[in-house]
Amino acid sequence: MSKLLDLQFLAGHAHYLLFIVLMMTGLFIVVDKTNLVKKIVGLNIFQVSVFMFYVSIGKVTGGTAPIFPMDDKYHVDKEALVGIAYSNPLPHVLILTAIVVGIATTSLGLALIVRIRESFNTIDEEDILHIEQEMTRDDNRKYGNAMGGLA
Amino acid sequence: MADTAVVAEHTLRTFKDHLPVLQVLVPFCTAPLIVLLGSRRLAWPLAFIASATALVISIMLMWEVREGGYVAYTLGGWAPPLGIEYRVDAANAFVLLLISAIGTVVLPYAYISIKDEIKARDHTLMYACWMLCFTGLLGMVVTGDAFNVFVFLEISSLSTYVLVAQGAGRDRRALTAAYDYLIMGTIGATFFVIGLGMLYMATGTLNMADLADRIADQGANRTVRSGFAFIIVGMGLKVAMFPLHLWLPKAYTFAPSAVTVFLSATATKAAIYVVMRFTFSIYNPDFSFTNNTLEIIFAPLAIIAMFSASFVAVFQTNFKRMLAYSSVAQVGYILLGISLLTETGLTAAILHMFNHGITKALLFMGVGAYVLRSGGAFYTQIAGLGRKMPITSGAVVIGGLSLIGVPGTAGFISKWILVQAALERAPDNAMFLAIAVAIVLSSLLAVVYVWRAFEVLFLQEPDPNSTATEAPLMMLVPMWIMAGACIWFGFSTEHLYEFAAQAAQGLLDGSQGMMISTGQGGAH
Amino acid sequence: MGYFELDTMTAIYAAMLFPLIAMAGNMVFAEFKNVRDTFTLLCAGLTFGSVLVVLSNVGNSITTPVSLFNVFPGVDVAFNVEPLGLMFALIGSGLWILTHIYGVGYMRGNNEKHHARFFACFCIAISSVIGIAFASNMFTLFLFYEILTVSTYPLVAHKGTPDAIRGARVYLAILIGTSIALQLTAVIWTYVLTGTLDFTQGGILDGKVAGWIVPVLLGLYAFGIGKAALMPFHKWLPAAMVAPTPVSALLHAVAVVKAGVFTMLKVGIYIFGIDFLAQTEASEWLMWLAAYSIIAASVVAMFQDNLKKRLAYSTISQLSYITLGMALATSMGVLGGAMAIAMHAMGKITLFMCAGAIYVKYHKTEISQMQGLGRAMPITFAAFFIGSLSIIGLPPLGGSWPKFLLMVGAADTGHYIIIGVLMLSSLLNVAYLLPIVGRAFFLPAPEGTPTKFAEAPLLVWLPPAITAIGCIVLFFYAGALQEFLTPIVSVSP
């Protein structure tokens, strides 16, 4: 606990700022770009910022990779073990899962874009919006007069 | 002789002990099995058997926790808080039952509907995705590990995007609906992960019970608070909490009928359960910030949702889309129940979750039957079908009345308890009188939008060229099971109410902590 | 008794079940009209018989509630028998037999469509009326109250014309709107305040609430019971007149509107308690509103040319008599109100059936078209005349007693203006009802109006003739009826 807080004091602010910049960049791209592929890219940047956030919170000051030190015969080096500090591996493991999920999301998103391109002939959101508005208008022309004016 | 008896008893007990994980594993293993077998003929029976097994398991789990207490299961024998723990108490047993029951009842219906709406070569994969979605929803609810919730959330979400996109065969807008849902859903899930990260920073654990203990010990600090904000917003997207509901109407409108039935009755409900679990068990509701969030943010948003979404629903010309907007409004009722912060309010929320689940499933099934017979759900397309499809329409009438909350239907009971919960708090704060009035006034909007559909169905002349006939038996039976449930739970809510009250009590008591989670579980 | 020994609860359930059996029969035999209609008539007779069994078993005592099942803790669907409800059930089921006979004649004579659906919905409505009558708590009553609203909607919209749909919308909007927005709030509020909803002698609110809540709660009930057609929520009744006449006759002169005022009386007697109302003077405003309703609706009625609309406004005015009786908060007032349920039912159903008979035979709906018609339809117009006199309240007809009791009640509490209102109202009744008969008998018939005797079909003119005689008979049994009803106002030990 206290070590985590120490970390926050020492270097915390700098890397948090970085995450926030990355996160906002990603979100901005998602919101601003009309190209569907670029939106997915933005989503990836957004997710990566979170992955890095997770990796960083596992860091323990002075900690090394959480692997037992080995001697020549590939046995655990009990002497080297004394006083050694490890980074917390759990967030890393967690984010491994999240990375997998991120890849799945990206591939599914791209697959959807392929299908959208096939049926709308465009991957630009504005164009798709126009097409969809046109479709809605058609629907309303065709079906909008429910109840013979009684509605 | 004696030995065999002992062995038999032992196996029996082990099986029972493994129930929480089997709940998830059965559908989870069915999904790849369906893909590997690759047989279109076997896909549906396998899915149905898996769902039915899940239903049996959830009933057994519910039976075990009916008196309070919980069943705990440590995954792989790794002791919590490091290992993943599944923990079932009254609250999630209730939601498990809802999800698995809906899943099982809807599948026979889906068989016909999917056959009609989706290309034959996609059927196998479709059922595999369906099973994955089912797994994800069950997993979100059964698990006692916060990060595990995220994993299952994504399993269900990813398969949901695929299921929604399957509607492209009928209308290409299903693709963009799925894409929009994917973008918003991923942002929501990522927000949820950020919140979990903050919780982990502050407490160093991800086990829900352990989290609750540690947060209670150290009290609130800024990290814990901002974690809460991220979690609520992230889950709020999945819940379709107003104003984060924008994905819902489009996704529900363009998804295949059977998928809409399944999602409307289960997906938002599982997410609402997670919100409840986080706000009441993990974060102690006594914290002023949880309290304030619920009263100052949830309640007004819920009321706005109840009115604005109902109002939009009134002007729809498509039955399915109308029901989708109505779903947003109904989620408002559930959230309002949560935000009342009393046992009655929470009971109302849990009951409404159940009642709205069966009601909406029934109505969407009706829509699917109309789509099957007349090719669409626009009011002009379903005009006069009440006479051509009387059995389907009879069920739809029951569903509609339950949606309004007419006495004698399930919807009435939960609305009654919700109003009662609001009025119980009226003596200390007159605001709650206004909230009670808001609840009843917004159900008047439900009268308007439901009655528009009724008039179209029954009072309009059917299209003279229409060849619509009654829906097939395999669709009618699930519909009438739901309709029967709507009526049954409108009259005899005794047991359901007691169980919901038990669940509410369990949630409000906060976590039972790590005291006895040794893998055997037990009553407290 | 011998062969016919049924215990009371079984008889109550039977009375609710027979109409439902009739409904099922209507669906099964939809295509065989004679089987279907005879079967329904049989069920109607059995329903009435079951209610009679309850009467012979219980008399005018009040039984303890029996719970059919528990809905959720603290709230049951439960039934009991008390004189007011028993009277209402007798009226509802008894007049159903006559209305059914009339309805068969009307629907056939008029070539209306969808007979099976029509009679099926009618049956559900009757079943819920029995449920309302025997409900032993507010929850049960509210349950059947709403079922009644929903089941009568298809009857109002029956013709399917734009007019009918519009009328049905107004009907539904007002009835569902008031009951959900106001009455439901009031019921749940009562439950939260007192922890019970059982109808209890002397009321349940006494000692639990005080101050501004009492009149507010009473207001929620009074306006929430939209079926009582208290102004300003009365528009649904004229709107519902687009329905076929049997519906207007039984439902909108007897069952539905009486369910409204019946609920009003129940709330006044068993939820608030008349002593509590008198003591807090919470019903003072309601009394004046009811008085206003009586006069205003009568005045509006005078200017209606459509016969059914005129009768509808007359009903609105007469219903307010009953509300007024409750709001007076004295035993005499409540008894007068309760008796008015019976007397007005008998009188008004006669008038409506006559209006329907005229429509079936000559397709006339406007009063101005009915000049000289009395010569062709003497029986119909004679019945109409008797019914009118009963509504006006002239002896020797049933309608005179409730007015008398209401006046006594008003005098007891010193509200002399109310006595004036009642008298003025009688004069207005004369002014809008008797000219109809006068025109028919004494004015010369215009060209084309038949002058020879040519009555409506037997099935259509016989029922109003019977109910007209009923109006006279009731006058002589009013004393017995009053005695029968007395337990509702005497607080039992």
Side-chain angles (χ1 to χ4, degrees):
Chain A
M1 255 314 287
S2 62
K3 274 175 189 160
L4 273 175
L5 281 176
D6 281 346
L7 183 77
Q8 207 171 351
F9 271 111
L10 292 170
H13 298 81
H15 72 260
Y16 284 137
L17 263 180
L18 269 176
F19 301 145
I20 292 168
V21 167
L22 261 183
M23 197 174 140
M24 288 304 130
T25 313
L27 272 180
F28 181 77
I29 294 174
V30 174
V31 177
D32 182 61
K33 294 294 167 192
T34 56
N35 185 314
L36 297 185
V37 177
K38 286 185 182 167
K39 271 175 183 284
I40 295 283
V41 172
L43 204 61
N44 268 316
I45 297 175
F46 172 53
Q47 284 183 313
V48 164
S49 78
V50 179
F51 301 160
M52 288 169 71
F53 166 68
Y54 260 75
V55 172
S56 74
I57 62 178
K59 175 69 181 168
V60 175
T61 319
T64 170
I67 303 168
F68 284 136
M70 302 286 179
D71 57 17
D72 306 340
K73 290 168 187 154
Y74 299 102
H75 288 129
V76 175
D77 187 350
K78 294 220 169 105
E79 282 164 35
L81 214 58
V82 179
I84 196 169
Y86 298 115
S87 287
N88 184 351
L90 192 71
H92 302 187
V93 177
L94 295 179
I95 223 56
L96 218 52
T97 320
I99 290 171
V100 174
V101 169
I103 292 170
T105 314
T106 308
S107 51
L108 180 58
L110 292 174
L112 276 174
I113 293 172
V114 171
R115 292 291 314 276
I116 290 174
R117 171 93 169 79
E118 281 169 11
S119 50
F120 287 84
N121 262 326
T122 173
I123 54 165
D124 191 89
E125 202 179 32
E126 303 263 306
D127 296 345
I128 293 171
L129 218 63
H130 282 304
I131 296 173
E132 289 194 342
Q133 275 166 357
E134 196 50 49
M135 290 172 83
T136 314
R137 263 198 294 278
D138 278 350
D139 282 346
N140 282 342
R141 260 197 298 277
K142 232 160 119 191
Y143 306 114
N145 60 341
M147 321 195 59
L150 272 173
Chain B
M1 288 286 282
D3 279 359
T4 36
V6 168
V7 168
E9 198 189 332
H10 181 71
T11 355
L12 196 68
R13 201 170 61 224
T14 345
F15 173 68
K16 225 167 130 190
D17 283 343
H18 284 298
L19 282 179
V21 74
L22 283 174
Q23 177 83 79
V24 180
L25 270 186
V26 171
F28 186 64
C29 296
T30 314
L33 194 64
I34 290 174
V35 178
L36 288 176
L37 288 175
S39 154
R40 205 180 306 151
R41 207 174 298 155
L42 282 177
W44 183 84
L46 277 173
F48 184 73
I49 292 169
S51 301
T53 317
L55 176 61
V56 172
I57 293 172
S58 68
I59 291 172
M60 287 167 81
L61 281 173
M62 188 147 166
W63 182 253
E64 287 203 18
V65 296
R66 70 191 183 284
E67 305 280 338
Y70 61 84
V71 177
Y73 181 85
T74 49
L75 227 61
W78 296 93
L82 282 178
I84 292 170
E85 184 193 21
Y86 283 3
R87 195 186 271 210
V88 181
D89 63 7
N92 48 4
F94 194 82
V95 184
L96 286 176
L97 180 76
L98 173 70
I99 294 173
S100 53
I102 299 266
T104 313
V105 176
V106 170
L107 262 176
Y109 170 92
Y111 181 72
I112 308 272
S113 184
I114 286 177
K115 217 165 157 184
D116 175 57
E117 293 181 19
I118 291 163
K119 272 181 273 154
R121 70 179 163 88
D122 292 338
H123 284 188
T124 342
L125 294 175
M126 174 93 188
Y127 285 115
C129 274
W130 182 293
M131 277 297 108
L132 279 181
C133 183
F134 192 53
T135 310
L137 294 172
L138 290 172
M140 264 165 87
V141 176
V142 81
T143 186
D145 184 278
F147 198 82
N148 215 226
V149 172
F150 164 73
V151 175
F152 279 117
L153 171 75
E154 281 295 21
I155 292 179
S156 78
S157 296
L158 285 168
S159 43
T160 305
Y161 309 144
V162 178
L163 289 175
V164 170
Q166 290 298 320
R170 297 183 60 82
D171 192 319
R172 55 185 168 160
R173 276 171 284 185
L175 292 172
T176 46
Y179 181 84
D180 290 351
Y181 188 15
L182 179 132
I183 296 286
M184 293 207 216
T186 308
I187 293 177
T190 312
F191 265 53
F192 183 70
V193 180
I194 298 174
L196 291 185
M198 292 184 165
L199 274 187
Y200 184 72
M201 275 167 72
T203 61
T205 182
L206 282 168
N207 181 287
M208 287 185 182
D210 202 24
L211 268 174
D213 283 352
R214 296 197 191 185
I215 292 177
D217 280 350
Q218 64 178 257
N221 54 42
R222 200 169 291 164
T223 318
V224 171
R225 275 183 215 148
S226 39
F228 183 69
F230 273 109
I231 287 170
I232 291 301
V233 172
M235 265 301 153
L237 255 161
K238 281 283 156 191
V239 172
M241 181 168 84
F242 187 90
L244 306 170
H245 66 282
L246 291 171
W247 56 270
L248 188 142
K250 207 176 164 193
Y252 280 16
T253 311
F254 296 114
S257 306
V259 172
T260 310
V261 176
F262 182 60
L263 290 183
S264 70
T266 54
T268 48
K269 311 296 180 289
I272 289 171
Y273 159 77
V274 175
V275 169
M276 283 188 195
R277 182 58 84 191
F278 270 87
T279 38
F280 289 107
S281 293
I282 295 178
Y283 286 87
N284 196 322
D286 299 337
F287 281 152
S288 60
F289 72 93
T290 348
N291 223 320
N292 288 342
T293 311
L294 291 173
E295 286 196 337
I296 299 173
I297 300 178
F298 268 46
L301 284 181
I303 291 173
I304 295 173
M306 278 152 52
F307 280 96
S308 63
S310 300
F311 196 70
V312 176
V314 169
F315 294 102
Q316 296 306 313
T317 50
N318 183 320
F319 196 14
K320 206 172 171 190
R321 206 177 173 85
M322 180 279 269
L323 291 175
Y325 276 105
S326 146
S327 278
V328 178
Q330 301 289 327
V331 164
Y333 288 106
I334 302 173
L335 291 177
L336 187 64
I338 296 175
S339 70
L340 287 174
L341 287 169
T342 58
E343 197 187 319
T344 325
L346 207 50
T347 310
I350 295 170
L351 269 181
H352 199 60
M353 225 156 91
F354 185 86
N355 292 343
H356 176 246
I358 55 178
T359 306
K360 238 347 137 33
L362 167 59
L363 284 169
F364 274 120
M365 280 200 258
V367 173
Y370 295 140
V371 171
L372 177 75
R373 288 304 191 219
S374 73
F378 280 96
Y379 281 156
T380 35
Q381 287 170 302
I382 62 169
L385 284 185
R387 283 178 216 160
K388 300 211 160 202
M389 304 167 72
I391 306 178
T392 308
S393 306
V396 168
V397 167
I398 293 174
L401 294 179
S402 179
L403 193 60
I404 297 173
V406 169
T409 57
F412 174 64
I413 303 290
S414 36
K415 248 170 221 176
W416 172 292
I417 296 170
L418 192 58
V419 174
Q420 185 189 329
L423 283 176
E424 271 174 8
R425 291 200 60 187
D428 11 300
N429 190 344
M431 261 304 291
F432 289 99
L433 202 60
I435 288 181
V437 172
I439 298 167
V440 288
L441 284 183
S442 67
S443 23
L444 293 185
L445 284 172
V447 177
V448 179
Y449 62 67
V450 169
W451 226 268
R452 273 195 62 180
F454 283 3
E455 282 186 358
V456 167
L457 283 172
F458 289 97
L459 296 177
Q460 295 233 309
E461 287 304 320
D463 180 0
N465 304 323
S466 152
T467 53
T469 49
E470 193 50 84
L473 193 66
M474 220 163 147
M475 285 176 129
L476 289 177
V477 170
M479 285 173 70
W480 275 94
I481 291 177
M482 289 296 175
C486 278
I487 298 278
W488 175 260
F489 291 116
F491 281 105
S492 179
T493 322
E494 203 178 357
H495 300 293
L496 198 68
Y497 178 92
E498 270 161 21
F499 206 86
Q502 183 93 55
Q505 174 120 46
L507 283 172
L508 275 180
D509 282 351
S511 163
Q512 289 153 353
M514 294 293 292
M515 302 170 301
I516 36 173
S517 59
T518 51
Q520 297 303 315
H524 73 133
Chain C
M1 295 292 262
Y3 298 106
F4 210 61
E5 213 149 342
L6 268 178
D7 80 289
T8 311
M9 287 320 286
T10 319
I12 290 177
Y13 297 145
M16 284 160 56
L17 208 59
F18 279 126
L20 294 181
I21 294 172
M23 178 203 77
N26 268 303
M27 285 176 167
V28 175
F29 303 123
E31 302 302 319
F32 313 96
K33 58 179 187 176
N34 289 331
V35 179
R36 182 190 70 206
D37 294 339
T38 319
F39 182 73
T40 313
L41 184 63
L42 181 73
C43 288
L46 287 171
T47 309
F48 186 57
S50 310
V51 180
L52 282 180
V53 171
V54 177
L55 175 69
S56 76
N57 279 3
V58 184
N60 69 345
S61 54
I62 297 175
T63 63
T64 44
V66 175
S67 170
L68 182 58
F69 49 80
N70 184 267
V71 178
F72 52 88
V75 174
D76 295 78
V77 171
F79 300 96
N80 78 335
V81 188
E82 46 87 49
L84 189 60
L86 188 51
M87 182 190 77
F88 183 45
L90 279 172
I91 297 168
S93 57
L95 291 180
W96 183 31
I97 303 177
L98 287 178
T99 318
H100 181 67
I101 297 171
Y102 176 81
V104 171
Y106 181 91
M107 297 298 276
R108 291 183 185 181
N110 230 356
N111 291 324
E112 297 266 358
K113 285 181 287 181
H114 309 303
H115 289 210
R117 186 182 81 189
F118 179 84
F119 286 117
C121 288
F122 217 108
C123 294
I124 304 177
I126 296 296
S127 178
S128 45
V129 164
I130 307 283
I132 290 174
F134 290 123
S136 80
N137 59 42
M138 202 54 212
F139 180 88
T140 315
L141 200 155
F142 186 71
L143 173 76
F144 287 106
Y145 182 97
E146 290 292 56
I147 295 176
L148 183 58
T149 310
V150 173
S151 65
T152 46
Y153 166 83
L155 295 173
V156 177
H158 184 77
K159 284 181 182 154
T161 57
D163 258 356
I165 293 179
R166 217 170 291 129
R169 272 190 199 163
V170 174
Y171 178 77
L172 190 85
I174 295 185
L175 287 188
I176 290 257
T178 52
S179 66
I180 288 186
L182 306 172
Q183 195 186 348
L184 181 61
T185 317
V187 174
I188 300 176
W189 202 359
T190 311
Y191 179 66
V192 172
L193 288 171
T194 63
T196 177
L197 284 172
D198 291 341
F199 292 130
T200 314
Q201 287 268 297
I204 53 175
L205 285 170
D206 196 1
K208 300 275 174 45
V209 283
W212 60 273
I213 294 183
V214 187
V216 167
L217 201 56
L218 184 69
L220 285 177
Y221 274 116
F223 292 120
I225 304 169
K227 291 197 170 96
L230 192 65
M231 283 184 175
F233 292 114
H234 63 285
K235 280 277 181 211
W236 64 269
L237 193 52
M241 290 302 137
V242 295
T245 310
V247 178
S248 308
L250 184 62
L251 299 177
H252 301 123
V254 181
V256 174
V257 290
K258 292 303 175 324
V261 284
F262 173 77
T263 312
M264 196 80 97
L265 282 178
K266 279 271 208 184
V267 167
I269 300 170
Y270 298 116
I271 298 286
F272 285 88
I274 47 177
D275 292 338
F276 181 60
L277 278 181
Q279 190 188 316
T280 52
E281 296 186 343
S283 60
E284 190 85 8
W285 65 270
L286 183 58
M287 187 180 74
W288 294 115
L289 183 67
Y292 169 77
S293 261
I294 292 174
I295 301 296
S298 299
V299 172
V300 176
M302 282 173 63
F303 295 101
Q304 300 293 324
D305 191 33
N306 183 302
L307 179 55
K308 280 174 77 179
K309 285 242 166 91
R310 183 177 287 195
L311 294 178
Y313 276 101
S314 156
T315 306
I316 296 170
S317 153
Q318 301 281 321
L319 291 174
S320 290
Y321 278 48
I322 301 163
T323 308
L324 178 75
M326 188 272 271
L328 279 173
T330 66
S331 321
M332 276 303 157
V334 169
L335 278 180
M339 271 173 87
I341 289 184
M343 304 303 185
H344 175 250
M346 203 56 105
K348 199 42 85 49
I349 198 170
T350 313
L351 298 187
F352 268 111
M353 285 181 179
C354 293
I358 298 165
Y359 180 71
V360 171
K361 186 67 186 172
Y362 297 110
H363 286 274
K364 290 189 195 301
T365 53
E366 309 303 306
I367 294 162
S368 50
Q369 303 167 340
M370 294 176 191
Q371 280 191 16
L373 212 54
R375 277 150 228 157
M377 309 181 76
I379 307 172
T380 305
F381 276 96
F384 194 93
F385 181 60
I386 297 172
S388 305
L389 291 183
S390 181
I391 297 291
I392 294 165
L394 291 178
L397 291 155
S400 54
W401 288 110
K403 265 186 196 169
F404 173 70
L405 287 178
L406 283 175
M407 286 187 190
V408 174
D412 278 352
T413 49
H415 291 108
Y416 296 106
I417 300 175
I418 296 293
I419 299 182
V421 167
L422 291 172
M423 287 170 145
L424 178 61
S425 152
S426 290
L427 289 179
L428 287 169
N429 290 348
V430 171
Y432 67 72
L433 283 175
L434 289 188
I436 303 170
V437 188
R439 272 164 179 270
F441 278 121
F442 301 120
L443 283 190
E447 291 271 314
T449 306
T451 46
K452 278 199 209 139
F453 178 86
E455 263 295 353
L458 173 77
L459 288 184
V460 175
W461 68 254
L462 187 63
I466 296 174
T467 51
I469 296 167
C471 288
I472 303 174
V473 173
L474 272 179
F475 177 80
F476 298 101
Y477 285 93
L481 184 60
Q482 190 186 343
E483 202 174 307
F484 178 78
L485 287 172
T486 311
I488 61 174
V489 286
S490 54
V491 176
S492 59

